[in-house]
């Protein structure tokens, strides 16, 4: 539409408002005031339901969740990284995109594209037609956006973490994955384990598996079908086949970004040297 | 006589009462500006759908008010932050309400903003001459999400701590600037004292300051450009007239000097 037509139409709008319009005060203000009261009421209602159905104990959740969880502890390892609900759609995008090939699509790519498209709306849609039935593209696009945001938020909200009860699965892992034999192979060949006798294989694997089960690894990683797939984390069932070596695993656990730039994994540097070694042997034996 | 005397006194009193208002008006023009704002015309078919913007503003004001109170009792230090949150929630008179309203007001604010955005989109209200206001609105949305991200850490519990660890790592994956932003947010090797202080400062100074400025600009443009009628309205402001109606209003008559004074003559 030509610039002069646009200007004409806006001048017509201005004239119509002037001639036929109603005063902002009190007519529109009345609607706004009623709506604002409803908003404040809803907020107070939510705050009350949240407070009166929950308890003072950390994690004592009512209908709307706990007042707080335990105090932040950087050295703890059994955590569930979970954002506020309006980031759930981003959180769930990271289940769809996997490390290392495509996780950047979920963290940066798609959000950036969505933001640019949103900013570009007035420059993409330059027509003057405002009736919905005559704007099929706009209506379909908005329905798709609403549906995908809704589904991603819902999936993010109901996504299960896999950590609970994982210890019970340890004997099964060791047997099915043939991990003790795998660990003997690792001890025999890995330079970081020089001086460790092959007899220690079973004990190292068991200790590593216990740490693996307790350290919330399964909140993000899959292992032999257990756990979940959050934040683009890879399946660790055959981690030993990637040929990283024990030292790499230790370095990675201590500071994930030093060996894997751009990884989303938090540091497990609060574990002791022996614990890190056992965990690494466990991971390397999985092949 | 008596009536006239009373009216003279009445005038005196009136003048006395109006004096401060006139004083302000003469030096700022604020009184007439407020009048123009309040008594400006809006399309007559404006209704409930167009209250989502002001509802969002109300939720934002709730966040400002409760945030100011929380800032008086909250201690932005890892050693004391969690205890101060417990104190506010459990011990302080009405503390639970203030924190609860701030916490849930954030969600209501975000929901209302998305609804307002959807309404503007479906009404096609982002079109000429309102494109700039759409851009400002999107910036407000982005800043509000950042406000949510920075505020989430402040209670300093396990949920907020580990969500922030991952959130900062996500920032770090962005190309070029990502690692710098992540390092800046962390303020050290680990998420700790520096991080909390940074998030606190961003959450209650920088981002709200930006939001207040952008919301002010947003409202100024809304007032200046006006709100659109619902697209289904039969009496929408600015609607196309059929031939008969337009002729009656004299809009298709040729103008003596072409389009030269288009801006002035239309509204006369």
């Amino acid at each position: 539409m030509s610039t002069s037509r646009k200007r004409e139409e806006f001048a017509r709008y201005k004239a119509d408002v002037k001639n036929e319009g109603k005063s902002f005060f009190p007519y529109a203000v009345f609607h706004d005031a009623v709506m604002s009261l409803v908003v404040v009421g809803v907020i107070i209602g939510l705050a009350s339901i949240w407070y009166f159905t929950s308890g003072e104990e950390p994690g004592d959740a009512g209908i709307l969740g706990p007042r707080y969880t335990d105090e932040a502890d950087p050295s703890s390892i059994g955590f569930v990284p979970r954002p506020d609900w309006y980031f759930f759609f981003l959180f769930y995008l990271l289940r769809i995109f996997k490390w290392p090939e495509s996780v950047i699509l979920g963290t940066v790519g798609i959000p950036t594209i969505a933001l640019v498209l949103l900013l570009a709306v007035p420059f993409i849609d330059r027509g003057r037609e405002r009736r919905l039935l005559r704007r099929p593209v706009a209506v379909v696009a908005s329905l798709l956006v609403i549906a995908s945001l809704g589904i991603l938020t819902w999936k993010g909200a109901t996504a299960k973490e896999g950590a609970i009860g994982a210890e019970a699965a340890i004997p099964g892992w060791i047997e099915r994955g043939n991990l003790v034999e795998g660990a003997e192979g690792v001890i025999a060949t890995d330079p970081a384990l020089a001086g460790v006798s092959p007899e220690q294989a079973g004990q190292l694997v068991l200790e590593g598996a216990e740490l693996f089960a307790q350290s919330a690894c399964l909140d993000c990683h899959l292992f032999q079908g257990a756990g979940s797939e959050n934040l683009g984390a890879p399946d660790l069932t055959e981690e030993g086949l990637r040929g990283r070596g024990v030292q790499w695993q230790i370095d990675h656990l201590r500071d994930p970004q030093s060996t894997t730039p751009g990884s989303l994994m938090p540091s497990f540097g609060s574990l002791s040297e022996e614990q890190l070694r056992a965990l690494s042997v466990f991971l390397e034996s999985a092949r | 006589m008596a009536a006239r005397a009373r009216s003279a006194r009445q005038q005196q009193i009136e003048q006395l009462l109006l004096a401060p208002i006139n004083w302000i008006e003469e030096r700022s023009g604020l009184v007439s500006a407020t009048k123009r704002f309040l008594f400006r015309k809006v399309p007559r078919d404006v209704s409930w759908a167009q209250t989502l913007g002001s509802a969002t503003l109300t939720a934002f004001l709730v966040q400002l008010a409760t945030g100011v109170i929380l800032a008086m009792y909250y201690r932005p230090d890892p050693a004391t932050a969690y205890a101060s949150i417990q104190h506010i929630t459990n011990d302080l008179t009405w503390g639970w309400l203030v924190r609860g309203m701030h916490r849930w007001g954030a969600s209501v604010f975000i929901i209302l903003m998305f609804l307002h955005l959807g309404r503007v989109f479906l009404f096609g209200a982002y079109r000429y001459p309102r494109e700039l206001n759409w851009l400002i609105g999107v910036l407000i949305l982005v800043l509000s999400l950042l406000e949510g991200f920075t505020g989430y850490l402040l209670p300093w519990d396990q949920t907020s701590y580990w969500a922030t660890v991952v959130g900062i790592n996500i920032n770090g994956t962005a190309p070029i600037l990502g690692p710098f932003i992540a390092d800046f947010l962390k303020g050290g090797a680990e998420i700790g004292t520096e991080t909390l202080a940074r998030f606190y400062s961003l959450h209650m100074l920088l981002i709200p300051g930006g939001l207040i400025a952008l919301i002010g600009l947003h409202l100024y443009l809304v007032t200046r450009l006006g709100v659109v009628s619902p697209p289904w309205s039969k009496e929408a402001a600015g609607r196309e007239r059929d031939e008969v109606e337009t002729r009656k209003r004299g809009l298709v008559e040729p103008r003596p000097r072409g389009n030269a004074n288009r801006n002035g003559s239309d509204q006369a």
Side-chain angles (χ1 to χ4, degrees), chain B residues 26-243:
Chain B
E26 197 180 337
R27 280 155 189 81
S28 65
L30 280 176
V31 178
S32 56
T34 310
K35 272 188 194 159
R36 275 202 303 278
F37 172 77
L38 281 179
F39 298 104
R40 73 185 199 272
K41 290 284 180 56
V42 294
R44 65 174 158 192
D45 42 17
V46 159
S47 183
W48 291 104
Q50 280 107 326
T51 60
L52 288 167
S54 67
T56 314
L57 178 65
T58 302
F60 180 69
L61 294 177
V62 167
Q63 292 307 95
L64 281 189
T66 53
V68 166
I69 300 172
L70 286 176
M72 296 172 182
Y73 296 93
Y74 174 72
R75 306 270 174 274
D77 179 76
T80 48
Y82 184 69
S84 72
I85 287 288
Q86 286 189 316
H87 174 68
I88 290 169
T89 318
N90 299 328
D91 308 333
L92 214 62
T93 311
W94 298 110
W96 66 268
L97 182 64
V98 175
R99 183 175 166 230
M101 285 180 75
H102 199 72
R103 188 197 153 120
W104 292 102
S107 294
V108 171
F109 177 54
I110 301 271
I111 292 175
L112 285 171
M113 205 161 6
F114 273 106
L115 291 177
H116 174 57
L117 182 145
R119 198 282 295 168
V120 170
F121 183 83
L122 291 178
F123 276 30
Y126 47 80
R127 298 213 173 118
Y128 175 89
R130 301 182 180 85
E131 302 98 321
L132 181 61
N133 220 14
W134 173 271
L135 298 182
I136 294 169
V138 175
L139 286 185
I140 293 174
L141 176 67
V142 171
L143 278 190
S144 304
L145 289 174
L146 288 178
E147 189 72 340
F149 174 65
T150 49
Y152 199 60
L153 177 66
L154 303 187
W156 203 250
D157 61 7
Q158 287 284 59
T159 319
S160 64
Y161 183 87
W162 293 106
T164 306
V165 170
V166 172
I168 289 180
N169 285 351
I170 287 178
N171 271 300
T173 64
I176 309 163
L177 279 180
F180 293 101
I181 296 173
D183 282 348
F184 167 74
L185 286 175
K186 255 194 239 178
E190 278 210 358
I191 291 185
T193 316
E194 309 294 331
T195 325
L196 187 55
R198 269 162 208 223
F199 273 55
Y200 185 59
S201 163
L202 289 174
H203 182 76
M204 59 167 266
L205 291 172
L206 193 62
I207 303 175
L211 275 174
I212 290 169
L214 285 175
I215 290 173
L217 200 56
H218 199 68
L219 290 179
Y220 166 71
L221 286 181
V222 168
T223 313
R224 182 186 160 89
L225 302 169
V227 291
V228 301
S229 292
W232 54 81
S233 171
K234 290 268 183 294
E235 46 184 27
R239 66 192 176 277
E240 306 262 0
R241 268 67 175 185
D242 55 38
E243 195 93 333

Side-chain angles (χ1 to χ4, degrees), chain A residues 1 3-26 28-37 39-40 42-44 46-48 50-52 55-56 58 64-87 89 94 99 103-104 107-108 115 117-123 125-132 135 138-139 141-142 149 231 257 262-267, chain B residues 37-48 50-52 54-55 58-59 62 78-79 82-83 85-86 89-91 96-97 99-108 110-112 114 117 121-131 134-135 138-139 141-142 145-146 148-149 152 156-163 165-166 169-170 172-175 190-191 223-232 235-241 249 251 255 259 262 266-267:
Chain A
M1 180 181 251
T3 313
S4 65
R5 288 275 312 274
K6 277 186 198 169
R7 287 183 182 148
E8 222 168 81
E9 194 182 303
F10 185 58
R12 200 165 62 223
Y13 162 84
K14 282 280 195 196
D16 282 350
V17 170
K18 196 176 174 188
N19 298 326
E20 309 171 348
K22 59 187 180 187
S23 174
F24 174 67
F25 180 89
V29 168
F30 168 71
H31 285 140
D32 287 338
V34 171
M35 189 68 172
S36 293
L37 281 177
V39 167
V40 175
V42 166
I43 294 175
I44 291 175
L46 286 169
S48 305
W50 167 73
Y51 177 76
F52 287 112
E56 273 188 36
L64 292 175
R67 297 179 191 173
Y68 29 72
T69 50
D70 285 315
E71 182 167 11
D73 179 4
S75 68
S76 79
I77 39 181
F79 64 93
V80 182
R82 235 174 154 52
D84 213 349
W85 67 266
Y86 42 86
F87 289 115
F89 70 100
L94 297 178
W99 184 262
V103 78
I104 196 165
T107 56
V108 187
L115 182 60
L117 280 179
L118 192 61
L119 284 168
V121 159
F123 309 102
D125 176 14
R126 303 173 67 90
R128 299 303 291 168
E129 180 57 61
R130 299 200 296 122
R131 280 165 294 184
L132 292 178
R135 294 164 64 208
V139 171
S142 60
L149 277 183
L231 307 174
Q257 286 72 34
S263 166
L264 303 183
M265 186 167 134
S267 162
Chain B
F37 172 77
L38 281 179
F39 298 104
R40 73 185 199 272
K41 290 284 180 56
V42 294
R44 65 174 158 192
D45 42 17
V46 159
S47 183
W48 291 104
Q50 280 107 326
T51 60
L52 288 167
S54 67
T58 302
V62 167
Y82 184 69
I85 287 288
Q86 286 189 316
T89 318
N90 299 328
D91 308 333
W96 66 268
L97 182 64
R99 183 175 166 230
M101 285 180 75
H102 199 72
R103 188 197 153 120
W104 292 102
S107 294
V108 171
I110 301 271
I111 292 175
L112 285 171
F114 273 106
L117 182 145
F121 183 83
L122 291 178
F123 276 30
Y126 47 80
R127 298 213 173 118
Y128 175 89
R130 301 182 180 85
E131 302 98 321
W134 173 271
L135 298 182
V138 175
L139 286 185
L141 176 67
V142 171
L145 289 174
L146 288 178
F149 174 65
Y152 199 60
W156 203 250
D157 61 7
Q158 287 284 59
T159 319
S160 64
Y161 183 87
W162 293 106
V165 170
V166 172
N169 285 351
I170 287 178
T173 64
E190 278 210 358
I191 291 185
T223 313
R224 182 186 160 89
L225 302 169
V227 291
V228 301
S229 292
W232 54 81
E235 46 184 27
R239 66 192 176 277
E240 306 262 0
R241 268 67 175 185
R249 290 165 58 102
L251 279 177
R255 290 171 207 181
N259 268 348
R262 171 178 59 218
D266 271 8
Q267 297 180 31

